Amino acid sequence: MTASENTQRLDFNTPALQRKRRVRAFKDRLARWYVSIGGLAVLGAITLIFFYLAHVVLPIFQGAELTLRPALQPAWLGSEERPLLLAIEEQNQVAMRLDRLGHLQFFDLKDARALSRLQLPIPQGVSIVSVAEDEPGSRRALVGLSDGKALAFQVNYKVSYPDNRKIITPDIEYPLGETPVVLDPRGRPLEHVAASLNGTSLLVSGSTGSELHALSFERRENLLTGESSLEETRLDLPQIADPIRAILIDPRQLWLYVINGAATADVFDLRKKTLNGRYALLDGDARVTTASPLLGGISLMIGDSAGGIRQWFMVRDKNGKSRLTFVREFQLGDAPITQILPEERRKGFLALDEKGTLGVFHSTAHRTLLTQSVLDGAGIGALSPRANRILLERAGQFQPVNLRNPHPEISWSALWGKVWYESYDEPRYVWQSTSANTDFEPKLSLSPLTFGTLKAAFYAMLMATPLAIAAAIYTAYFMAPRMRRKVKPIIELMEALPTVILGFFAGLFLAPYVEGHLPGIFSLLLLMPLGILLAAFAWSRLPERIRLRVPDGWEAALLIPVILLVGALALGMSGYLENWFFGGDMRVWLHDRGIPFDQRNALVVGLAMGFAVIPNIFSIAEDAVFSVPRSLTFGSLALGATPWQTLTRVVILTASPGIFSALMIGMGRAVGETMIVLMATGNTPIMDVNIFQGLRTLAANVAVEMPESEVGSTHYRVLFLAALVLLSFTFVMNTLAELIRTRLRKKYASL
């Protein structure tokens, strides 16, 4: 065959080959575009998730908004003097105005049109000197009269629908009857009054100068006749040295607060009828100008002449004694505070000063949401029960204001810092999103949830990392190929186990078993490594003719009886160890030493979640070690290195990027795990490194509370923030893992 004939036979430009090349090139381009579009789609999906979560979360960090409506000057208002009390009913349709003669004028909030006028049963020639409302939302008030008497009343609003029209009709009730009760036997004007209704007990108090008066009324009902009567008791309280400026009563009728002098509070224990203590409320030359309780009546908000507002409440000290304690401070401006308006459903409040500046605040979040000038001078205001309407009066005209303040409870300090909540003895990290009572103070700190997430992941990785990495190295480097083909699929099959099954097993079986065999579990963790090392040492001392009977790479099978024997020994000795060293009960022994024990704790989570994470780490790390070129291994051995030296100085270094990726992926799996931590822990959001205490993770919290949260509420958006924190943490971890993996690959690429 000639050379020309051979060339013709090897022609690569035939039409058939050209068509194949074109088809192959088309498939390559299609695959390249498909992979590129798929990768961009994944990045786009992750970006959209971030933007959606941020879109839901961002509104909770926005401030409040005020919208001033046109001022109203109804003809019936005339040039009357400043009212004693303004109030708005639930539907934001009817407002109420109380003057010194006891006239209750009800009018339309929208246009100030007069609706009805009621008169309090005040004797002829007597006027109202002072007025005080019961806790926010009660619609009860007490008026102090110029003859030393007091009258308690409650405003109710009846809703009817004649001819399909909504009609709101105001009505007045008198808890103590229509006859005023005598507070000051001398008949002097009551300059300040206070009232508190707790169940069937009504406590009223008043002051004349520096003299304090208090009456307690208890309603008794005759079971036979059905009639009820009031039992009156006069309380003998120590007198005050300085002129009284304000009186407030705790809703539980435990404490009576008397603001007197320039900036002093005397606190009386109503159970013991004694003085609890005298407290200085302000620093420097500032004086108290107004005082008001927050929702629930536990906190006192003290306004001063320098434009500041301080929050105080009773706190137990180290000796168990309750003391009035300063908690936090707000600043409206530099003018004296004239009025504090607490919200009826949240721990927020509004404040007015002499310049007509209005401030919107929230106590728990320690947040100033808005300060804005709304009047030309000092006025009086009312806040609606829904906290979305404000009515101000000054100089014979009304100023209606719309308020938008949907999420005042959230601030960075409330989410991540320690917060001093009411009735707590110190600032703490607390997550408690719901409660049974209406004066609940939301506790939405993400710190215990984040801590619980990291705690669960730490203990899971503490168990999984050494087992998974060591197993991966041994399987890929030392194990016989035939045995490896059986072991690796079995371990990877563990990954297919549903986590809900693992959580169910951990919660119903593992947790009680660990509690009943606690000494055995810890002795197992100590004896198992020692038993394996001892078995390996004994194997190395056996005659060579015995050791050679086991093929290379099959030595691991000999550890099966060792593991079973050590496990049975450790768990079987648990009861004896508990009797010998822990007095028969290790839980009680731990409790006596200040270490609390919960049945579902971090130890159970570490065991269960570690079992779930092991297959992820093992599979990736084993592939990385097995993928190390054999030429590197053979070259190292040929140069005289031992198998162990080759493993530690060549194989592991070369496979380190893959091993590190396995650890990061395992960490991400542990951080995002939901069902195991949901079922294997007590779901207690506490910050305690104790391995015997429970925890709550971000993922489990979202899974538990999201179905019960109101869409668009603060709780709902905070749960989305928790999801955003979890996603951001996973994203940052994976990004750092990829950067470190790339650097390790470049560093050891020359091996």
Side-chain angles (χ1 to χ4, degrees):
M1 183 180 296
T2 62
S4 60
E5 292 176 349
N6 190 26
T7 303
Q8 290 177 357
R9 289 195 174 197
L10 297 177
D11 186 9
F12 294 101
N13 292 320
T14 61
L17 291 176
Q18 290 178 357
R19 283 195 300 273
K20 289 182 179 180
R21 283 196 292 269
R22 285 195 295 270
V23 171
R24 188 182 298 112
F26 174 76
K27 291 181 178 179
D28 290 342
R29 287 195 297 270
L30 184 62
R32 188 181 304 110
W33 277 103
Y34 180 79
V35 173
S36 300
I37 292 174
L40 292 175
V42 171
L43 293 176
I46 295 175
T47 304
L48 288 176
I49 291 173
F50 269 108
F51 275 106
Y52 176 72
L53 293 177
H55 169 72
V56 177
V57 168
L58 283 178
I60 64 177
F61 297 106
Q62 296 176 356
E65 279 183 39
L66 284 181
T67 303
L68 299 180
R69 296 166 56 190
L72 304 173
Q73 193 166 6
W76 60 265
L77 185 59
S79 58
E80 295 184 18
E81 62 178 346
R82 177 175 172 173
L84 292 175
L85 180 65
L86 284 178
I88 303 174
E89 58 85 30
E90 171 73 23
Q91 307 298 325
N92 292 336
Q93 295 184 13
V94 179
M96 182 199 74
R97 183 181 188 273
L98 173 66
D99 62 19
R100 293 189 177 274
L101 298 179
H103 298 139
L104 289 172
Q105 178 66 58
F106 297 91
F107 56 95
D108 192 302
L109 183 62
K110 184 177 181 180
D111 54 12
R113 174 173 49 89
L115 299 176
S116 62
R117 187 182 179 95
L118 300 177
Q119 174 67 46
L120 293 179
I122 297 176
Q124 188 71 22
V126 176
S127 62
I128 299 176
V129 178
S130 57
V131 63
E133 294 183 273
D134 199 351
E135 61 177 314
S138 65
R139 299 192 303 276
R140 289 186 298 271
L142 181 73
V143 293
L145 307 180
S146 57
D147 60 353
K149 298 180 180 179
L151 177 68
F153 68 94
Q154 179 174 336
V155 180
N156 298 320
Y157 297 92
K158 300 179 180 179
V159 181
S160 58
Y161 295 88
D163 300 327
N164 290 327
R165 293 177 60 249
K166 184 177 182 179
I167 302 297
I168 299 177
T169 305
D171 183 37
I172 302 179
E173 293 181 1
Y174 301 94
L176 299 178
E178 297 186 16
T179 303
V181 297
V182 178
L183 273 180
D184 184 10
R186 301 182 186 179
R188 293 170 296 178
L190 296 177
E191 299 172 354
H192 304 282
V193 291
S196 173
L197 178 63
N198 183 20
T200 60
S201 175
L202 177 62
L203 180 65
V204 297
S205 180
S207 68
T208 52
S210 60
E211 228 177 289
L212 185 63
H213 314 279
L215 290 175
S216 175
F217 296 89
E218 187 73 28
R219 185 173 297 278
R220 304 291 184 183
E221 185 172 351
N222 192 320
L223 298 178
L224 297 178
T225 62
E227 297 179 353
S228 61
S229 60
L230 285 176
E231 293 185 4
E232 176 182 334
T233 304
R234 182 170 293 273
L235 304 182
D236 294 326
L237 298 173
Q239 295 305 307
I240 309 299
D242 299 321
I244 297 174
R245 294 181 175 271
I247 307 173
L248 300 102
I249 303 175
D250 174 55
R252 299 165 297 177
Q253 298 182 6
L254 300 177
W255 311 103
L256 175 65
Y257 307 98
V258 181
I259 314 299
N260 57 85
T264 305
D266 287 342
V267 180
F268 294 95
D269 189 333
L270 294 177
R271 294 164 296 183
K272 301 178 181 178
K273 309 299 187 295
T274 58
L275 178 65
N276 169 270
R278 172 166 290 188
Y279 305 91
L281 300 176
L282 303 175
D283 302 325
D285 298 330
R287 56 182 176 83
V288 175
T289 55
T290 186
S292 174
L294 276 184
L295 174 66
I298 297 177
S299 292
L300 303 182
M301 307 306 299
I302 307 298
D304 60 46
S305 57
I309 306 158
R310 291 192 169 196
Q311 181 180 2
W312 297 73
F313 55 71
M314 301 299 289
V315 174
R316 288 189 178 274
D317 58 17
K318 296 181 180 179
N319 299 322
K321 182 181 179 181
S322 297
R323 300 183 59 83
L324 188 63
T325 305
F326 168 70
V327 179
R328 55 181 67 93
E329 184 176 14
F330 304 85
Q331 191 69 33
L332 176 59
D334 54 4
I337 304 297
T338 58
Q339 189 178 12
I340 296 175
L341 301 172
E343 294 190 25
E344 295 186 9
R345 297 172 182 173
R346 300 180 299 197
K347 296 294 183 177
F349 64 95
L350 278 65
L352 278 168
D353 66 11
E354 283 189 354
K355 293 182 179 179
T357 303
L358 178 68
V360 182
F361 307 90
H362 193 274
S363 62
T364 307
H366 198 186
R367 186 179 180 188
T368 301
L369 295 115
L370 175 72
T371 56
Q372 182 175 329
S373 178
V374 292
L375 296 174
D376 294 332
I380 186 172
L383 179 64
S384 70
R386 299 181 182 182
N388 57 359
R389 294 288 188 277
I390 305 171
L391 181 64
L392 305 171
E393 180 181 344
R394 184 181 183 274
Q397 69 176 10
F398 294 118
Q399 175 62 67
V401 181
N402 291 346
L403 172 63
R404 185 179 181 276
N405 185 24
H407 309 292
E409 305 96 336
I410 301 303
S411 64
W412 285 111
S413 60
L415 289 172
W416 301 108
K418 286 186 176 182
V419 179
W420 202 335
Y421 300 103
E422 291 180 346
S423 301
Y424 280 61
D425 55 356
E426 61 182 359
R428 295 183 185 178
Y429 300 103
V430 181
W431 173 273
Q432 185 185 358
S433 57
T434 56
S435 179
N437 54 3
T438 56
D439 58 351
F440 170 65
E441 184 178 21
K443 304 170 181 65
L444 301 175
S445 175
L446 292 180
S447 295
L449 305 180
T450 305
F451 180 85
T453 302
L454 298 178
K455 179 181 178 181
F458 170 77
Y459 284 117
M461 294 298 291
L462 188 64
M463 174 190 173
T465 298
L467 291 178
I469 297 299
I473 293 173
Y474 185 87
T475 303
Y477 188 72
F478 294 106
M479 190 172 287
R482 184 179 173 186
M483 189 177 184
R484 176 179 177 271
R485 287 193 294 269
K486 293 180 174 61
V487 171
K488 186 178 179 182
I490 293 175
I491 297 179
E492 291 177 342
L493 191 63
M494 292 164 50
E495 193 173 358
L497 288 174
T499 55
V500 66
I501 300 299
L502 294 176
F504 181 82
F505 174 81
L508 295 185
F509 171 76
L510 184 60
Y513 187 84
V514 169
E515 181 185 19
H517 299 78
L518 202 55
I521 295 297
F522 281 97
S523 61
L524 179 64
L525 297 176
L526 294 175
L527 294 179
M528 187 62 71
L530 296 177
I532 293 175
L533 291 176
L534 184 60
F537 178 77
W539 175 256
S540 66
R541 288 296 181 265
L542 289 177
E544 187 174 355
R545 58 185 176 81
I546 297 178
R547 289 187 283 113
L548 291 178
R549 290 182 180 180
V550 179
D552 289 340
W554 286 84
E555 295 86 355
L558 300 175
L559 290 177
I560 296 177
V562 175
I563 293 174
L564 295 176
L565 181 62
V566 174
L569 176 65
L571 296 176
M573 292 180 59
S574 179
Y576 298 102
L577 294 175
E578 199 163 26
N579 290 328
W580 294 340
F581 299 105
F582 305 107
D585 194 330
M586 188 173 177
R587 284 191 59 180
V588 175
W589 185 86
L590 291 171
H591 184 270
D592 292 341
R593 282 150 184 80
I595 304 175
F597 182 93
D598 292 335
Q599 186 186 78
R600 300 186 180 188
N601 50 47
L603 176 60
V604 177
V605 173
L607 295 174
M609 198 155 66
F611 181 83
V613 171
I614 282 176
N616 298 75
I617 302 175
F618 170 84
S619 181
I620 300 173
E622 201 275 344
D623 288 338
V625 176
F626 190 76
S627 299
V628 175
R630 290 294 178 181
S631 58
L632 293 178
T633 304
F634 295 152
S636 175
L637 295 173
L639 292 174
T642 64
W644 182 256
Q645 291 174 329
T646 301
L647 172 66
T648 56
R649 301 183 185 182
V650 177
V651 176
I652 292 181
L653 294 180
T654 306
S656 59
I659 295 175
F660 185 78
S661 297
L663 292 175
M664 291 299 101
I665 291 176
M667 182 70 176
R669 167 74 186 278
V671 168
E673 179 55 47
T674 304
M675 294 310 299
I676 294 178
V677 295
L678 185 62
M679 303 177 72
T681 69
N683 270 326
T684 50
I686 57 177
M687 298 185 66
D688 194 338
V689 296
N690 182 9
I691 194 173
F692 302 118
Q693 284 282 77
L695 52 91
R696 178 181 289 194
T697 65
L698 291 166
N701 189 69
V702 172
V704 169
E705 299 193 7
M706 184 62 76
E708 301 178 358
S709 63
E710 178 187 354
V711 176
S713 64
T714 300
H715 179 212
Y716 175 84
R717 297 182 187 276
V718 170
L719 292 177
F720 269 82
L721 177 60
L724 181 60
V725 170
L726 191 61
L727 181 61
S728 302
F729 180 81
T730 306
F731 179 79
V732 170
M733 289 293 295
N734 290 339
T735 303
L736 291 176
E738 181 62 23
L739 293 175
I740 297 174
R741 187 184 67 84
T742 303
R743 294 191 61 180
L744 290 175
R745 176 174 291 181
K746 290 180 179 179
K747 182 176 181 179
Y748 299 114
S750 58
L751 292 179

